[in-house]
Amino acid sequence: MRAGFGYDVHKFAAGRKLILGGVEIKHSKGLIGHSDADVLLHSVCDALLGAAGLNDIGHYFPNTDPKWKNISSLILLQECYKLLKKKKFKIVNIDSTILLEEPRISLYINEMKKNICKTLKIKLSQLAIKSTTSEGLGFIGRKQGCSAYTICCIK
């Protein structure tokens, strides 16, 4: 068994879509990034890559490569899954937490889980996604950005 940890953070900006877990969420602002800036999927990618002893997400999908510009992070997750399969790893479980003040995302979590489970070919019972606020503290509390933390176990 091997464990991995992932973290990602992006700033909010007007004129961008808010995508979390491959789901477009209605909000006045979205996250800034080279891809769709999906902090949840980026943290999942890094957790899985780390557990497998591989490089981080930026190594495989650099923000200097136009190939990855505005791409869906579900595609990045799919590519990470291929790297794990190549090394004969299987996912045991994934546990993620998204931090943001607004919007409330609890109604979107089941759809996020379905997207991730379909991409990684795992059962819904192998994935947990939670959300919380920063109680008004820091840049997240000031509604300037969003972050996500993920741990995973692979074998």
Side-chain angles (χ1 to χ4, degrees):
M1 298 287 267
R2 298 171 65 119
F5 173 77
Y7 169 77
D8 195 40
V9 61
H10 285 278
K11 289 191 251 182
F12 278 121
R16 292 277 298 188
K17 292 179 180 179
L18 177 57
I19 310 289
L20 293 171
V23 177
E24 186 174 338
I25 297 169
K26 292 181 182 187
H27 192 52
S28 61
K29 296 178 183 175
L31 297 169
I32 301 170
H34 186 69
S35 65
D36 61 6
D38 188 327
V39 294
L40 174 58
L41 295 184
H42 294 181
S43 72
V44 172
C45 286
D46 264 344
L48 293 170
L49 292 169
L54 298 169
N55 292 310
D56 66 35
I57 190 173
H59 174 83
Y60 297 102
F61 317 109
N63 63 8
T64 55
D65 188 339
K67 176 180 179 180
W68 309 116
K69 181 74 175 157
N70 295 320
I71 197 163
S72 167
S73 293
L74 285 169
I75 294 171
L76 305 182
L77 184 62
Q78 185 176 45
E79 293 300 313
C80 290
Y81 176 68
K82 289 178 186 176
L83 291 168
L84 262 66
K85 274 183 60 175
K86 190 175 181 180
K87 293 189 83 169
K88 308 235 188 287
F89 284 116
K90 292 186 182 203
I91 298 166
V92 176
N93 75 305
I94 298 169
D95 185 5
S96 297
T97 301
I98 304 165
L99 284 86
L100 76 167
E101 292 297 309
E102 61 181 37
R104 298 286 183 197
I105 61 169
S106 58
L107 296 176
Y108 300 94
I109 288 179
N110 284 337
E111 192 176 350
M112 292 178 201
K113 287 182 74 171
K114 287 176 187 173
N115 285 341
I116 294 169
C117 290
K118 181 179 177 183
T119 302
L120 298 176
K121 299 176 181 20
I122 61 174
K123 297 175 186 171
L124 290 171
S125 63
Q126 292 174 270
L127 173 64
I129 300 174
K130 291 109 43 218
S131 64
T132 191
T133 69
S134 290
E135 299 293 331
L137 299 173
F139 74 93
I140 291 174
R142 290 188 299 273
K143 304 174 188 173
Q144 295 173 323
C146 176
S147 67
Y149 297 90
T150 298
I151 59 170
C152 73
C153 192
I154 64 174
K155 61 180 179 176

mmCIF file of all heavy atoms in Angstrom, residues 6 39-41 43-45 47 94-99 109 116 127-131 148-152:
data_model
loop_
_atom_site.group_PDB
_atom_site.id
_atom_site.type_symbol
_atom_site.label_atom_id
_atom_site.label_comp_id
_atom_site.label_asym_id
_atom_site.label_seq_id
_atom_site.Cartn_x
_atom_site.Cartn_y
_atom_site.Cartn_z
ATOM 1 N N GLY A 6 -2.112 15.483 -2.220
ATOM 2 C CA GLY A 6 -2.127 16.517 -3.240
ATOM 3 C C GLY A 6 -2.776 17.784 -2.719
ATOM 4 O O GLY A 6 -3.658 17.742 -1.853
ATOM 5 N N VAL A 39 -9.242 22.971 -9.157
ATOM 6 C CA VAL A 39 -8.372 22.670 -8.014
ATOM 7 C C VAL A 39 -8.608 21.272 -7.458
ATOM 8 O O VAL A 39 -7.660 20.625 -7.001
ATOM 9 C CB VAL A 39 -8.502 23.713 -6.877
ATOM 10 C CG1 VAL A 39 -7.998 25.063 -7.303
ATOM 11 C CG2 VAL A 39 -9.905 23.797 -6.335
ATOM 12 N N LEU A 40 -9.839 20.810 -7.494
ATOM 13 C CA LEU A 40 -10.131 19.476 -6.972
ATOM 14 C C LEU A 40 -9.408 18.415 -7.792
ATOM 15 O O LEU A 40 -8.679 17.580 -7.241
ATOM 16 C CB LEU A 40 -11.635 19.202 -6.967
ATOM 17 C CG LEU A 40 -12.044 17.776 -6.585
ATOM 18 C CD1 LEU A 40 -11.533 17.397 -5.198
ATOM 19 C CD2 LEU A 40 -13.541 17.612 -6.684
ATOM 20 N N LEU A 41 -9.577 18.449 -9.098
ATOM 21 C CA LEU A 41 -8.940 17.429 -9.939
ATOM 22 C C LEU A 41 -7.425 17.550 -9.915
ATOM 23 O O LEU A 41 -6.725 16.535 -9.962
ATOM 24 C CB LEU A 41 -9.469 17.499 -11.366
ATOM 25 C CG LEU A 41 -10.950 17.150 -11.522
ATOM 26 C CD1 LEU A 41 -11.336 17.146 -12.993
ATOM 27 C CD2 LEU A 41 -11.305 15.828 -10.866
ATOM 28 N N SER A 43 -5.611 18.484 -7.371
ATOM 29 C CA SER A 43 -5.134 17.886 -6.115
ATOM 30 C C SER A 43 -5.234 16.367 -6.168
ATOM 31 O O SER A 43 -4.361 15.665 -5.643
ATOM 32 C CB SER A 43 -5.878 18.459 -4.907
ATOM 33 O OG SER A 43 -7.199 17.996 -4.823
ATOM 34 N N VAL A 44 -6.279 15.837 -6.820
ATOM 35 C CA VAL A 44 -6.401 14.381 -6.980
ATOM 36 C C VAL A 44 -5.249 13.860 -7.838
ATOM 37 O O VAL A 44 -4.614 12.853 -7.495
ATOM 38 C CB VAL A 44 -7.772 13.994 -7.590
ATOM 39 C CG1 VAL A 44 -7.806 12.508 -7.939
ATOM 40 C CG2 VAL A 44 -8.902 14.340 -6.632
ATOM 41 N N CYS A 45 -4.959 14.545 -8.931
ATOM 42 C CA CYS A 45 -3.842 14.133 -9.795
ATOM 43 C C CYS A 45 -2.541 14.073 -9.001
ATOM 44 O O CYS A 45 -1.808 13.083 -9.073
ATOM 45 C CB CYS A 45 -3.677 15.108 -10.961
ATOM 46 S SG CYS A 45 -4.911 14.991 -12.269
ATOM 47 N N ALA A 47 -2.043 13.800 -5.780
ATOM 48 C CA ALA A 47 -2.063 12.739 -4.768
ATOM 49 C C ALA A 47 -1.758 11.390 -5.413
ATOM 50 O O ALA A 47 -0.934 10.616 -4.896
ATOM 51 C CB ALA A 47 -3.409 12.699 -4.057
ATOM 52 N N ILE A 94 -9.757 7.503 -2.294
ATOM 53 C CA ILE A 94 -9.384 8.908 -2.438
ATOM 54 C C ILE A 94 -10.283 9.710 -1.504
ATOM 55 O O ILE A 94 -11.486 9.474 -1.436
ATOM 56 C CB ILE A 94 -9.587 9.389 -3.896
ATOM 57 C CG1 ILE A 94 -8.689 8.604 -4.860
ATOM 58 C CG2 ILE A 94 -9.333 10.893 -4.015
ATOM 59 C CD1 ILE A 94 -9.015 8.842 -6.328
ATOM 60 N N ASP A 95 -9.691 10.670 -0.798
ATOM 61 C CA ASP A 95 -10.429 11.524 0.127
ATOM 62 C C ASP A 95 -10.011 12.967 -0.126
ATOM 63 O O ASP A 95 -8.829 13.306 0.006
ATOM 64 C CB ASP A 95 -10.105 11.103 1.560
ATOM 65 C CG ASP A 95 -10.914 11.859 2.598
ATOM 66 O OD1 ASP A 95 -11.804 12.649 2.237
ATOM 67 O OD2 ASP A 95 -10.646 11.645 3.798
ATOM 68 N N SER A 96 -10.966 13.819 -0.529
ATOM 69 C CA SER A 96 -10.672 15.206 -0.885
ATOM 70 C C SER A 96 -11.515 16.182 -0.083
ATOM 71 O O SER A 96 -12.659 15.889 0.269
ATOM 72 C CB SER A 96 -10.964 15.446 -2.370
ATOM 73 O OG SER A 96 -10.142 14.665 -3.189
ATOM 74 N N THR A 97 -10.941 17.359 0.148
ATOM 75 C CA THR A 97 -11.653 18.462 0.770
ATOM 76 C C THR A 97 -11.411 19.720 -0.053
ATOM 77 O O THR A 97 -10.271 20.041 -0.374
ATOM 78 C CB THR A 97 -11.183 18.700 2.219
ATOM 79 O OG1 THR A 97 -11.395 17.505 2.974
ATOM 80 C CG2 THR A 97 -11.938 19.847 2.872
ATOM 81 N N ILE A 98 -12.511 20.417 -0.388
ATOM 82 C CA ILE A 98 -12.447 21.676 -1.130
ATOM 83 C C ILE A 98 -12.714 22.800 -0.143
ATOM 84 O O ILE A 98 -13.670 22.734 0.637
ATOM 85 C CB ILE A 98 -13.510 21.710 -2.243
ATOM 86 C CG1 ILE A 98 -13.360 20.510 -3.179
ATOM 87 C CG2 ILE A 98 -13.437 23.024 -3.021
ATOM 88 C CD1 ILE A 98 -14.565 20.274 -4.077
ATOM 89 N N LEU A 99 -11.883 23.848 -0.185
ATOM 90 C CA LEU A 99 -12.061 25.002 0.689
ATOM 91 C C LEU A 99 -12.464 26.216 -0.138
ATOM 92 O O LEU A 99 -11.717 26.636 -1.027
ATOM 93 C CB LEU A 99 -10.763 25.330 1.426
ATOM 94 C CG LEU A 99 -10.406 24.417 2.573
ATOM 95 C CD1 LEU A 99 -9.641 23.219 2.079
ATOM 96 C CD2 LEU A 99 -9.617 25.170 3.595
ATOM 97 N N ILE A 109 -21.659 17.866 -5.453
ATOM 98 C CA ILE A 109 -20.661 16.855 -5.078
ATOM 99 C C ILE A 109 -20.945 15.489 -5.692
ATOM 100 O O ILE A 109 -20.023 14.814 -6.147
ATOM 101 C CB ILE A 109 -20.476 16.804 -3.543
ATOM 102 C CG1 ILE A 109 -19.723 18.069 -3.106
ATOM 103 C CG2 ILE A 109 -19.741 15.545 -3.111
ATOM 104 C CD1 ILE A 109 -19.476 18.207 -1.630
ATOM 105 N N ILE A 116 -15.319 11.753 -11.453
ATOM 106 C CA ILE A 116 -14.017 11.233 -11.028
ATOM 107 C C ILE A 116 -14.012 9.707 -11.054
ATOM 108 O O ILE A 116 -13.077 9.089 -11.561
ATOM 109 C CB ILE A 116 -13.644 11.775 -9.634
ATOM 110 C CG1 ILE A 116 -13.435 13.298 -9.716
ATOM 111 C CG2 ILE A 116 -12.401 11.077 -9.082
ATOM 112 C CD1 ILE A 116 -13.330 13.982 -8.369
ATOM 113 N N LEU A 127 -14.439 6.947 -3.022
ATOM 114 C CA LEU A 127 -14.155 8.374 -3.134
ATOM 115 C C LEU A 127 -15.000 9.180 -2.157
ATOM 116 O O LEU A 127 -16.219 9.001 -2.088
ATOM 117 C CB LEU A 127 -14.444 8.845 -4.567
ATOM 118 C CG LEU A 127 -14.358 10.348 -4.846
ATOM 119 C CD1 LEU A 127 -12.942 10.876 -4.632
ATOM 120 C CD2 LEU A 127 -14.835 10.633 -6.264
ATOM 121 N N ALA A 128 -14.345 10.063 -1.422
ATOM 122 C CA ALA A 128 -15.048 11.021 -0.562
ATOM 123 C C ALA A 128 -14.667 12.428 -1.008
ATOM 124 O O ALA A 128 -13.492 12.703 -1.280
ATOM 125 C CB ALA A 128 -14.661 10.819 0.900
ATOM 126 N N ILE A 129 -15.660 13.292 -1.122
ATOM 127 C CA ILE A 129 -15.422 14.710 -1.415
ATOM 128 C C ILE A 129 -16.221 15.511 -0.392
ATOM 129 O O ILE A 129 -17.420 15.321 -0.248
ATOM 130 C CB ILE A 129 -15.867 15.100 -2.834
ATOM 131 C CG1 ILE A 129 -15.107 14.301 -3.890
ATOM 132 C CG2 ILE A 129 -15.664 16.605 -3.055
ATOM 133 C CD1 ILE A 129 -15.614 14.534 -5.315
ATOM 134 N N LYS A 130 -15.519 16.376 0.313
ATOM 135 C CA LYS A 130 -16.160 17.246 1.288
ATOM 136 C C LYS A 130 -15.849 18.689 0.930
ATOM 137 O O LYS A 130 -14.893 18.949 0.208
ATOM 138 C CB LYS A 130 -15.629 16.969 2.703
ATOM 139 C CG LYS A 130 -16.054 15.631 3.268
ATOM 140 C CD LYS A 130 -14.964 14.616 3.379
ATOM 141 C CE LYS A 130 -13.649 15.107 3.891
ATOM 142 N NZ LYS A 130 -12.522 14.490 3.217
ATOM 143 N N SER A 131 -16.653 19.606 1.457
ATOM 144 C CA SER A 131 -16.349 21.025 1.276
ATOM 145 C C SER A 131 -16.489 21.732 2.611
ATOM 146 O O SER A 131 -17.269 21.318 3.469
ATOM 147 C CB SER A 131 -17.271 21.652 0.232
ATOM 148 O OG SER A 131 -18.609 21.626 0.673
ATOM 149 N N ALA A 148 -7.889 22.944 -2.669
ATOM 150 C CA ALA A 148 -8.339 21.573 -2.410
ATOM 151 C C ALA A 148 -7.171 20.743 -1.908
ATOM 152 O O ALA A 148 -6.027 20.925 -2.342
ATOM 153 C CB ALA A 148 -8.921 20.956 -3.679
ATOM 154 N N TYR A 149 -7.491 19.834 -1.006
ATOM 155 C CA TYR A 149 -6.534 18.878 -0.452
ATOM 156 C C TYR A 149 -7.045 17.475 -0.762
ATOM 157 O O TYR A 149 -8.240 17.215 -0.650
ATOM 158 C CB TYR A 149 -6.433 19.009 1.066
ATOM 159 C CG TYR A 149 -5.915 20.332 1.553
ATOM 160 C CD1 TYR A 149 -6.781 21.386 1.824
ATOM 161 C CD2 TYR A 149 -4.556 20.517 1.767
ATOM 162 C CE1 TYR A 149 -6.301 22.597 2.282
ATOM 163 C CE2 TYR A 149 -4.074 21.722 2.231
ATOM 164 C CZ TYR A 149 -4.946 22.758 2.484
ATOM 165 O OH TYR A 149 -4.464 23.962 2.945
ATOM 166 N N THR A 150 -6.130 16.584 -1.111
ATOM 167 C CA THR A 150 -6.523 15.197 -1.384
ATOM 168 C C THR A 150 -5.479 14.244 -0.819
ATOM 169 O O THR A 150 -4.272 14.491 -0.940
ATOM 170 C CB THR A 150 -6.648 14.941 -2.903
ATOM 171 O OG1 THR A 150 -7.675 15.776 -3.426
ATOM 172 C CG2 THR A 150 -6.974 13.493 -3.203
ATOM 173 N N ILE A 151 -5.968 13.176 -0.205
ATOM 174 C CA ILE A 151 -5.094 12.049 0.125
ATOM 175 C C ILE A 151 -5.647 10.829 -0.616
ATOM 176 O O ILE A 151 -6.836 10.771 -0.933
ATOM 177 C CB ILE A 151 -4.997 11.781 1.643
ATOM 178 C CG1 ILE A 151 -6.365 11.494 2.240
ATOM 179 C CG2 ILE A 151 -4.311 12.933 2.350
ATOM 180 C CD1 ILE A 151 -6.308 10.992 3.668
ATOM 181 N N CYS A 152 -4.762 9.894 -0.894
ATOM 182 C CA CYS A 152 -5.213 8.676 -1.561
ATOM 183 C C CYS A 152 -4.359 7.512 -1.110
ATOM 184 O O CYS A 152 -3.284 7.682 -0.548
ATOM 185 C CB CYS A 152 -5.140 8.821 -3.087
ATOM 186 S SG CYS A 152 -3.461 8.791 -3.735
#
